[in-house]
Amino acid sequence: MPRVVSLFLPGWPIDRLRRALGVSAPPPDSRLVLVGRDGARRILTAVSRPAEQAGLRVGMPLTKAHALLPGVLTMPADPAADAAALGRLALWALQHYAPIVAPDPPDGLVIDTTGADHLHGGEARMLTGLVNRLSASGIFARAAVADSWGAAHAAARFLADPVCVLPPGKAGEAVSPLPVAGLRIPPETVTGLHVLGFSTIGDVLAVPRAPLVLRFGPLLGRRLDQLQGRISEPVDPLRDPELVTVRKVFGEPIGAPETIARYTAGLVHDLCAALEKRGLGARRLDLLFHRVDNSLQAIRIGTARPARDERQLIRLLTDRIETIDPGFGIEIMDLTATLAEPLVLQQAASSLIEAEEADLAGLVDVIVNRIGAARLYRIAPVESDVPERSFRRIPPLSPETGTTWPSRWPRPARLLARPEPVEVMALLPDHPPASFTWRGVRRLVKRADGPERIFGEWWKRDAELAAVRDYFQVEDTEGERFWLFRSGNEEQAASGVGRWFLHGIFA
């Protein structure tokens, strides 16, 4: 079942303008409007949130805006720059999220994420990450995913806060209470529906279709069918002329997996030749299948580092062919290096000089394309005395950071996500536990070492000025080894509560 994401940028022209102006941009809380022309009239084409709260609206004449809000800040609209910036944003989403992305003017993007959400940890995590990354760049966004473009479009504008995931098959029920403006119909049609007493999408779905189509034209009926998934609405994917792309057009549609695999190998050969001419290696490849019913299927693969090895790329692509439904046949195949980086060939190690190191790139690529990059990583040390801050996740083939963990005291192989409270029998203040109870199981301590005192990082938070932990390594009578700590020094209340916690387990 297709899954489509609609990304809504409520303040897009103004957010784009602020980013373009940089340090000289107006403050976010300013009452700013953009002014364009509608014939001989000057009207508002975009309104900041503070100005909207003051009563200004898109389409309002500028003279009326000045009368309502004398101190309003005006700037000329630039639709061409807005459209170009929206195209650049769509290209960024194409490179990072899914192989089928298109602008949805004037203030959104549409992304077909069918089969690509697992690479980002699922739909909810993907949408949250997308919205957060845009927010960090100064762009306010809302996003929704549904079975159809129409349902996702309506949910992103009237339901998402800031993200919304509509379950498969439930889009119609979810969007029924939303305003009719979510149907992607002209403003005059929305006004006409309001005059007739229709306020929600569900109101329109509940009445016979023919009188509405007769009054408002076929677009309204088509939008309703597209919202419910009765007719397909393929996304015309964005393609940048700078991207390396190869194409194969078939005289007769193909559909057998063996045939698709054979032509995939040919496309990879042609793409690698084009990449070699530019001195590039592929980091992300998108293989699009144009079916005869005007719908698209896609395969996306990624590599841990720039690659131009035909056998490696063919294997990664053909492993995913089973996810493709050719329908009544495929008439065009497009292979694009969505993300490419410079690739410098290196001399392979000679066994007469030095031992050849094992190359794990192929294995990493296979695993990442099956389970997603977010679930495959390795741990790198971070300079911090606080255990839960002393590591970070990095890509599996990242170079060594040069940082190591402290060697004075060993660290457990498994560190719990959060220290778990335990009940302890111990002699205070410096003696290790004699026994402890963790998750309902009482354990007798046979051996112990400690304490290792760790102080809070006072330069980061004032609350850690007096924080203290005393860590002990203990071994129970079964031979299992644990890492426990007592919070506080038993002298100052600000140093901790004196409770015991289990923080890690040794191998």
Side-chain angles (χ1 to χ4, degrees):
M1 181 176 290
R3 297 293 282 174
V4 182
V5 170
S6 177
L7 182 69
F8 175 44
L9 310 170
W12 168 244
I14 292 177
D15 288 342
R16 191 277 305 172
L17 184 64
R18 286 198 176 100
R19 290 195 70 199
L21 294 178
V23 295
S24 60
D29 59 348
S30 62
R31 295 175 175 180
L32 171 67
V33 297
L34 302 185
V35 181
R37 286 193 175 273
D38 180 17
R41 297 192 311 157
R42 299 182 69 193
I43 62 171
L44 308 186
T45 60
V47 179
S48 67
R49 283 183 288 276
E52 186 177 12
Q53 293 171 357
L56 305 189
R57 297 289 182 269
V58 173
M60 179 181 292
L62 179 60
T63 53
K64 183 177 180 180
H66 277 302
L68 291 175
L69 194 63
V72 65
L73 176 62
T74 63
M75 299 188 73
D78 191 347
D82 295 337
L86 195 62
R88 291 192 297 271
L89 186 63
L91 180 60
W92 171 82
L94 170 70
Q95 293 176 333
H96 291 87
Y97 286 96
I100 303 176
V101 180
D104 188 10
D107 53 10
L109 301 180
V110 57
I111 309 172
D112 188 335
T113 60
T114 307
D117 59 282
H118 74 283
L119 300 175
H120 306 280
E123 291 179 338
R125 186 172 179 179
M126 176 183 64
L127 294 187
T128 302
L130 174 59
V131 169
N132 288 344
R133 293 180 73 173
L134 291 174
S135 177
S137 299
I139 300 175
F140 178 68
R142 299 202 296 264
V145 59
D147 296 337
S148 65
W149 182 351
H153 180 95
R157 282 149 181 80
F158 299 102
L159 195 60
D161 185 29
V163 301
C164 177
V165 178
L166 300 186
K170 304 293 184 180
E173 300 175 12
V175 302
S176 290
L178 302 183
V180 293
L183 287 173
R184 295 180 297 155
I185 51 180
E188 55 270 19
T189 304
V190 174
T191 303
L193 289 172
H194 285 161
V195 170
L196 294 177
F198 297 99
S199 59
T200 67
I201 295 176
D203 294 339
V204 182
L205 291 172
V207 301
R209 187 74 52 82
L212 294 177
V213 172
L214 184 63
R215 184 181 182 96
F216 297 106
L219 178 62
L220 177 59
R222 186 164 65 250
R223 292 305 192 204
L224 293 173
D225 288 335
Q226 290 170 344
L227 181 143
Q228 295 175 296
R230 294 177 178 174
I231 60 176
S232 63
E233 187 179 12
V235 179
D236 186 15
L238 171 75
R239 280 295 176 260
D240 189 277
E242 296 298 322
L243 299 178
V244 182
T245 304
V246 293
R247 166 173 284 203
K248 178 66 178 179
V249 181
F250 304 103
E252 294 290 337
I254 65 172
E258 299 82 4
T259 306
I260 296 175
R262 184 171 68 253
Y263 283 109
T264 298
L267 288 173
V268 170
H269 174 78
D270 295 341
L271 185 75
C272 288
L275 289 171
E276 186 176 5
K277 291 181 180 179
R278 299 193 186 188
L280 300 175
R283 284 294 310 276
R284 187 165 290 121
L285 292 181
D286 291 337
L287 181 56
L288 299 186
F289 302 88
H290 300 255
R291 305 197 316 185
V292 294
D293 60 357
N294 200 31
S295 63
L296 286 173
Q297 297 273 307
I299 292 175
R300 162 163 285 193
I301 64 164
T303 59
R305 56 193 182 199
R308 210 163 55 218
D309 184 351
E310 291 186 24
R311 290 199 304 173
Q312 175 190 0
L313 299 179
I314 290 172
R315 179 188 176 187
L316 294 176
L317 288 169
T318 54
D319 280 350
R320 301 291 309 282
I321 286 179
E322 61 184 17
T323 65
I324 296 300
D325 177 14
F328 294 105
I330 296 169
E331 56 184 359
I332 301 175
M333 289 173 58
D334 284 328
L335 181 62
T336 303
T338 310
L339 192 60
E341 297 177 359
L343 174 61
V344 179
L345 298 180
Q346 298 179 350
Q347 176 67 42
S350 170
S351 59
L352 298 176
I353 302 174
E354 56 187 351
E356 184 176 357
E357 296 183 359
D359 187 2
L360 300 178
L363 176 62
V364 169
D365 291 341
V366 171
I367 297 175
V368 165
N369 285 284
R370 289 180 180 175
I371 69 173
R375 299 173 62 185
L376 186 67
Y377 55 87
R378 65 186 180 90
I379 299 298
V382 174
E383 292 184 356
S384 176
D385 289 331
V386 181
E388 54 264 40
R389 300 176 189 161
S390 63
F391 65 92
R392 62 187 176 96
R393 297 178 179 183
I394 61 175
L397 297 183
S398 296
E400 295 294 335
T401 61
T403 306
T404 59
W405 282 290
S407 57
R408 301 183 300 274
W409 291 85
R411 291 291 183 258
R414 178 189 173 194
L415 193 70
L416 301 183
R418 292 184 179 179
E420 297 186 10
V422 294
E423 296 179 5
V424 169
M425 293 290 293
L427 295 175
L428 298 180
D430 296 327
H431 288 72
S435 67
F436 66 94
T437 303
W438 176 51
R439 295 182 179 178
V441 178
R442 185 170 181 265
R443 302 173 185 270
L444 297 177
V445 175
K446 184 178 179 181
R447 298 183 180 87
D449 192 10
E452 174 193 0
R453 176 156 289 188
I454 293 178
F455 294 91
E457 296 179 335
W458 52 267
W459 57 93
K460 291 185 177 179
R461 293 194 308 168
D462 291 342
E464 298 186 27
L465 283 171
V468 174
R469 292 178 183 176
D470 286 336
Y471 279 86
F472 293 85
Q473 305 166 44
V474 302
E475 180 180 332
D476 67 5
T477 54
E478 301 295 329
E480 296 184 72
R481 300 166 61 225
F482 303 90
W483 205 37
L484 286 76
F485 73 85
R486 182 186 64 238
S487 64
N489 57 13
E490 297 295 327
E491 297 175 0
Q492 296 174 310
S495 66
V497 295
R499 296 178 59 192
W500 286 84
F501 298 85
L502 189 145
H503 204 173
I505 302 173
F506 290 91

